[in-house]
């Protein structure tokens, strides 16, 4: 029996990479009585900037109207959200100030005792409570008060301790907002964050709005500011890089019929008595949708998906063709092989979601994500599984 294999690529693929992958597929599967046909939908139905990138701030421009102070603030908070104790850690690396023979508690001990005993004032509590952050504030404050970074920073405090207190306030605010983000709360804007910082800072020292410390200027700030400005200035180039992968998914979800019809035409024009559809990634989603939406006849008797999101889309209600509790229709091919690598975060299992149709095979591409998602075609285990299924 003469069979055709129709290869459907996945998201983000354009001409050069498609041609390379298609040659690999054709070399592996083509033989007498078996013809391999390609369905390249990336050029016709893939995402592109139809307005020349006009929606992307700074696309094709430089600067973006930001000041160095803006870049510095964004860079500082970007690091603090990931590591609230970092600024305190830098202070702890400073040499201890020279102290005289004064009486009373030394500044380091006095500073450490005051911070560990600190309780937010009524005004500070109100500022955090109105934004739903009071519980996060309590946990963050205890974490900073008990942290080794605070203890080490205290060793370098001077008589005033303004810079150290400001660093404590920033650490607490950063830890508060990070904890809120982890539980799914919406992020606050920079002005709201700065208001929270001012409320906390006014408790920690006499100034209602302390001046920013200089620790960042001496250490990480030049590199962070350059990184932030470079990333913002290159937003156009970054968008160009992200568009094919992300844009294809978004475009398919909104206007997927063009992709499905192109796949359908390719199948209809493929020669032979039987057709196997081999699809990768988003191509697998489109093929599942097509074969569920339309009865293409018994000639399409096999479906092979590799690194596909179709089962996940079905589970979360995003599959265009079928919504739970309905399942795949009777005309859908019952010979469906789904290949996935657990390290590929865009690959999902199908057998337990569609038990009447799908069989899963797990492989390891030996790569972390995202490399695992495109490494299937060089994995001999993948070709062994496909060959066995075809035969």
């Amino acid at each position: 029996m003469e069979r055709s294999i129709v290869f459907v690529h996945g998201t983000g693929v354009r001409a050069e990479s498609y041609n390379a992958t298609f040659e690999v597929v054709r070399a592996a599967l083509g033989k007498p009585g078996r013809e391999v046909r390609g369905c390249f939908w990336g050029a016709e139905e893939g995402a592109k900037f139809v307005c020349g990138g006009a929606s992307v701030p700074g696309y094709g421009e430089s600067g973006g109207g930001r000041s160095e102070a803006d870049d510095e603030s964004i860079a500082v908070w970007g690091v603090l959200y990931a590591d609230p104790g970092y600024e305190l850690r830098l202070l702890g690396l400073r040499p201890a100030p020279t102290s005289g023979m004064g009486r009373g508690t030394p500044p380091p001990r006095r500073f450490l005792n005051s911070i560990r005993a600190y309780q937010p004032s009524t005004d500070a509590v109100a500022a955090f409570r109105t934004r739903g952050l009071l519980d996060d504030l309590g946990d963050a404050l205890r974490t900073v008060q008990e942290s080794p970074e605070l203890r080490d920073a205290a060793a370098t405090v001077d008589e005033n301790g303004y810079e150290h207190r400001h660093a404590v306030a920033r650490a607490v605010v950063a830890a508060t907002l990070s904890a809120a983000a982890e539980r799914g709360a919406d992020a606050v804007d920079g002005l709201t964050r700065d208001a929270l910082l001012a409320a906390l800072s006014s408790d920690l020292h006499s100034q209602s709005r302390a001046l920013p410390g200089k620790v960042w200027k001496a250490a990480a700030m030049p590199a962070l500011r350059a990184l932030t400005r470079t990333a913002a200035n290159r937003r156009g180039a970054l968008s160009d890089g992200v568009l094919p992968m992300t844009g294809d998914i978004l475009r398919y979800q909104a206007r997927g019929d063009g992709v499905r019809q192109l796949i359908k035409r390719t199948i209809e024009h493929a020669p032979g008595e039987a057709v196997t559809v081999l699809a990768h990634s988003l191509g697998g989603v489109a093929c599942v949708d097509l074969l569920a939406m339309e009865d293409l006849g018994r000639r399409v008797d096999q479906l092979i998906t590799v690194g596909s999101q179709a089962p996940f889309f079905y589970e979360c209600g995003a599959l265009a063709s079928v919504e739970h509790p309905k399942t795949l229709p009777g005309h859908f091919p019952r010979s469906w092989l789904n290949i996935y690598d657990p390290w590929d975060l865009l690959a999902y299992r199908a057998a337990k979601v569609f038990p009447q149709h799908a069989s899963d095979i797990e492989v390891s591409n030996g790569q972390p994500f995202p490399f695992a998602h495109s490494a299937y075609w060089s994995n001999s285990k993948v070709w062994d599984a496909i060959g066995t299924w075809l035969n």
Side-chain angles (χ1 to χ4, degrees):
M1 181 176 65
E2 185 178 352
R3 175 177 292 278
S4 285
I5 298 173
V6 174
F7 171 64
V8 183
H9 68 81
T11 183
V13 174
R14 295 301 182 260
E16 184 176 353
S17 59
Y18 170 78
N19 290 335
T21 303
F22 181 63
E23 287 303 317
V24 173
V25 173
R26 184 158 57 182
L29 300 180
K31 67 177 187 179
R34 184 191 293 169
E35 182 167 345
V36 181
R37 293 285 182 94
C39 179
F40 175 43
W41 55 264
E44 184 175 345
E45 295 295 334
K48 59 179 70 70
F49 282 132
V50 296
C51 297
S55 64
V56 181
Y59 193 91
E61 304 168 3
S62 62
R66 300 174 317 281
S67 67
E68 288 194 7
D70 293 335
D71 289 341
E72 179 171 324
S73 176
I74 292 171
V76 169
W77 285 106
V79 173
L80 286 173
Y81 290 144
D83 184 4
Y86 185 59
E87 196 172 34
L88 289 170
R89 196 177 304 120
L90 288 178
L91 288 171
L93 297 176
R94 287 184 173 184
T98 303
S99 59
M101 299 297 292
R103 298 179 180 179
T105 306
R109 174 54 57 186
R110 187 165 63 248
F111 169 81
L112 192 58
N113 289 343
S114 67
I115 297 299
R116 286 179 171 172
Y118 165 71
Q119 292 293 326
S121 67
T122 302
D123 289 343
V125 167
F128 283 83
R129 177 186 286 119
T130 57
R131 294 168 177 86
L133 298 170
L134 189 57
D135 290 341
D136 301 301
L137 171 63
D139 293 339
L141 179 59
R142 286 189 292 274
T143 298
V144 173
Q145 288 172 326
E146 298 169 2
S147 68
E149 288 88 351
L150 175 65
R151 181 196 61 222
D152 293 344
T156 68
V157 74
D158 56 18
E159 286 288 343
N160 293 321
Y162 290 141
E163 189 173 350
H164 286 63
R165 293 177 190 276
H166 191 72
V168 170
R170 290 158 73 86
V172 173
V173 170
T176 299
L177 297 181
S178 294
E182 289 180 1
R183 63 175 172 81
D186 291 337
V188 301
D189 66 358
L191 292 177
T192 302
R193 178 203 61 220
D194 292 345
L196 296 173
L197 177 62
L200 207 60
S201 294
S202 66
D203 277 358
L204 290 171
H205 46 67
S206 59
Q207 296 182 1
S208 62
R209 190 183 295 270
L211 294 176
K214 298 179 181 179
V215 61
W216 286 95
K217 297 182 185 299
M221 276 317 305
L224 289 170
R225 182 167 57 244
L227 178 61
T228 302
R229 183 173 291 276
T230 298
N233 287 346
R234 296 187 65 248
R235 186 170 176 181
L238 293 172
S239 297
D240 285 336
V242 171
L243 175 70
M245 175 73 72
T246 306
D248 283 357
I249 297 172
L250 296 175
R251 178 175 170 78
Y252 177 78
Q253 291 298 91
R255 296 178 179 85
D257 191 59
V259 176
R260 292 190 292 269
Q261 292 307 308
L262 186 56
I263 297 171
K264 178 183 177 181
R265 290 198 300 271
T266 306
I267 292 173
E268 290 175 341
H269 296 163
E273 304 166 61
V275 175
T276 298
V277 178
L278 169 63
H280 177 235
S281 187
L282 183 64
V285 176
C287 290
V288 170
D289 278 336
L290 171 64
L291 295 173
M293 290 175 169
E294 301 194 36
D295 186 351
L296 301 187
R298 294 185 177 181
R299 200 167 69 102
V300 184
D301 62 344
Q302 290 183 336
L303 171 65
I304 302 174
T305 53
V306 180
S308 177
Q309 303 87 49
F312 172 72
F313 279 18
Y314 175 79
E315 274 212 274
C316 66
L319 193 65
S321 56
V322 185
E323 185 176 6
H324 185 80
K326 293 182 179 179
T327 189
L328 298 172
H331 64 256
F332 193 94
R334 291 189 176 273
S335 181
W336 175 8
L337 173 65
N338 180 65
I339 300 174
Y340 71 96
D341 178 351
W343 282 96
D344 175 9
L345 303 185
L346 293 177
Y348 294 86
R349 298 182 299 185
K352 292 185 178 181
V353 179
F354 303 111
Q356 301 301 318
H357 297 270
S359 299
D360 289 330
I361 288 186
E362 178 182 317
V363 299
S364 174
N365 295 327
Q367 289 279 31
F369 184 79
F371 301 100
H373 188 58
S374 57
Y376 290 97
W377 311 121
S378 59
N379 186 344
S380 62
K381 300 296 184 182
V382 170
W383 294 116
D384 289 345
I386 293 174
T388 300
W389 195 263
L390 288 172
N391 295 327

